[in-house]
Amino acid sequence: MRRIDTRRFLVRPHTRVNLARFDPDDTGPLTSRKRARTQLRKSQARLTGLTDLLFAQNRWSLLLIFQGMDGAGKDGAIKHVMRGLDPKATMVHAFGPPSTGERSHDYMWRCLKALPERGHIGIFNRSYYEEVLVVRVHPELLESEHLPRERVTARIWKERFEDIRHIERYLCRNGTVIRKFFLHLSKSEQRRRFLSRLDDPAKNWKFSRNDIAERRKWPEYMKAYEAAISETSTRYAPWYIIPANQKWFTRLAVAHVIIEAMESMKLHYPPLTHKKRRELAAARRRLRGGRRKPG
């Protein structure tokens, strides 16, 4: 299976991101949607095998974070890339606006309690990064968090970036591999997808009046994403800026990043102890002994 060069989308530590330099239409050397779909099926098969090993070895966990503007294709990427994986080893959490109860805790609380166990893949559709994206674009939301006044300073975003880096490093040191995806959609493609939702009765439910209000703040969101990605892409929890205008390419690129992350764990089935080998041999003898001898 020929791999996409995912290094093109990797944001290296200490890089100042300018999203205008990334092409949302980029598909690299791939021009065939049909060929990409064939490669995606092979990637899904590879992921299935790796997920089985992850679950059996039970030492590592994988956290995948998806962020992007409305319409960027987060749901579709998760659905198509992770299709066919063992449901007992994968969990998807979609984080919308925090509830009143969730706002009574620190902003990381609801995400931290949804972290994957060892041997599992946890998928966050939006995440604690909303607190340095949506809340930064709408600073009035800080009031609803009931923070002590002296904690809301001009340094609050720098402090949150620092806290996020430290928490992600802690998770990494405890066996959680983290990969973060920003699905980079153009404003014109978002408009086309919104119109598609309005024109197709089967997609009407996806549309919210708030989508248009947030679209007007596109420049503010791009600046917030640039700051968040620049400040929190690290060696242990890197960001990937994935072109999102062509869904067929987005899904394949995401799949290849995940495969590379899982292969880096050097997964394998647990080695059998001498005691376990004896148990298996005894079980085999009993089962074979129960067969009727041929007449």
Side-chain angles (χ1 to χ4, degrees):
M1 179 178 64
R2 187 177 178 182
R3 298 275 180 85
I4 292 172
D5 183 5
T6 61
R7 293 172 297 180
R8 297 168 52 226
F9 311 121
L10 172 65
V11 179
R12 301 191 182 280
H14 314 299
T15 300
R16 305 315 300 177
V17 171
N18 180 354
L19 288 173
R21 296 178 181 172
F22 293 82
D23 181 7
D25 274 308
D26 183 12
T27 61
L30 278 177
T31 57
S32 170
R33 182 183 309 220
K34 182 178 180 181
R35 183 173 297 175
R37 286 175 175 168
T38 299
Q39 288 192 30
L40 182 59
R41 286 194 292 271
K42 293 179 180 178
S43 298
Q44 290 167 335
R46 177 62 175 150
L47 281 171
T48 297
L50 288 168
T51 302
D52 288 345
L53 289 172
L54 178 75
F55 187 79
Q57 190 179 34
N58 197 34
R59 290 191 176 271
W60 297 91
S61 59
L62 177 63
L63 175 61
L64 306 173
I65 295 176
F66 289 81
Q67 294 284 161
M69 296 295 285
D70 292 322
K74 297 181 292 297
D75 290 337
I78 294 168
K79 175 182 176 182
H80 287 82
V81 173
M82 313 310 285
R83 176 175 289 163
L85 299 191
D86 191 338
K88 73 174 179 291
T90 55
M91 293 176 290
V92 180
H93 300 274
F95 294 100
S99 66
T100 301
E102 288 169 339
R103 282 197 296 267
S104 297
H105 294 268
D106 63 273
Y107 72 87
M108 295 287 287
W109 177 78
R110 63 176 182 158
C111 293
L112 292 181
K113 68 189 186 77
L115 288 171
E117 305 170 35
R118 298 195 193 283
H120 291 68
I121 300 174
I123 303 162
F124 286 1
N125 186 344
R126 300 188 187 275
S127 66
Y128 44 84
Y129 278 97
E130 295 292 282
E131 289 290 328
V132 292
L133 297 168
V134 175
V135 178
R136 189 167 190 174
V137 173
H138 296 278
E140 67 275 10
L141 293 175
L142 280 172
E143 185 61 31
S144 68
E145 296 182 4
H146 303 292
L147 291 169
R149 299 288 183 190
E150 56 268 30
R151 291 292 183 261
V152 184
T153 69
R155 285 184 47 79
I156 189 169
W157 309 117
K158 285 284 186 182
E159 291 168 351
R160 287 191 170 186
F161 293 145
E162 181 180 315
D163 292 338
I164 288 171
R165 288 195 302 269
H166 288 173
I167 288 172
E168 289 180 345
R169 183 171 62 181
Y170 164 80
L171 294 174
C172 176
R173 286 174 170 172
N174 282 273
T176 298
V177 172
I178 303 172
R179 294 295 182 268
K180 301 175 293 194
F181 302 96
F182 171 61
L183 303 192
H184 187 26
L185 182 73
S186 69
K187 192 175 182 182
S188 59
E189 177 62 15
Q190 188 197 54
R191 176 180 178 274
R192 190 193 69 78
R193 292 182 186 181
F194 280 177
L195 287 172
S196 174
R197 290 179 181 181
L198 291 170
D199 294 339
D200 185 350
K203 295 181 179 179
N204 286 172
W205 66 272
K206 291 186 175 183
F207 190 81
S208 167
R209 184 174 59 182
N210 191 53
D211 292 342
I212 299 299
E214 293 299 274
R215 179 176 163 82
R216 295 193 189 103
K217 296 183 178 292
W218 189 277
E220 292 92 329
Y221 272 108
M222 293 303 102
K223 289 181 181 178
Y225 269 110
E226 287 173 348
I229 295 170
S230 299
E231 292 282 351
T232 63
S233 195
T234 59
R235 177 184 54 79
Y236 48 85
W239 276 102
Y240 287 80
I241 299 176
I242 305 293
N245 278 11
Q246 306 298 329
K247 294 179 180 179
W248 55 270
F249 180 79
T250 304
R251 295 162 183 171
L252 185 59
V254 166
H256 286 185
V257 172
I258 298 172
I259 288 171
E260 288 172 1
M262 297 186 76
E263 288 179 343
S264 74
M265 302 177 196
K266 297 180 171 38
L267 300 169
H268 54 77
Y269 289 111
L272 295 179
T273 63
H274 182 63
K275 179 181 178 182
K276 188 67 175 179
R277 292 178 190 276
R278 284 187 300 167
E279 289 176 358
L280 295 176
R284 187 179 293 110
R285 286 194 299 271
R286 285 195 296 270
L287 289 170
R288 286 178 174 169
R291 290 180 182 174
R292 291 182 62 184
K293 295 181 179 179

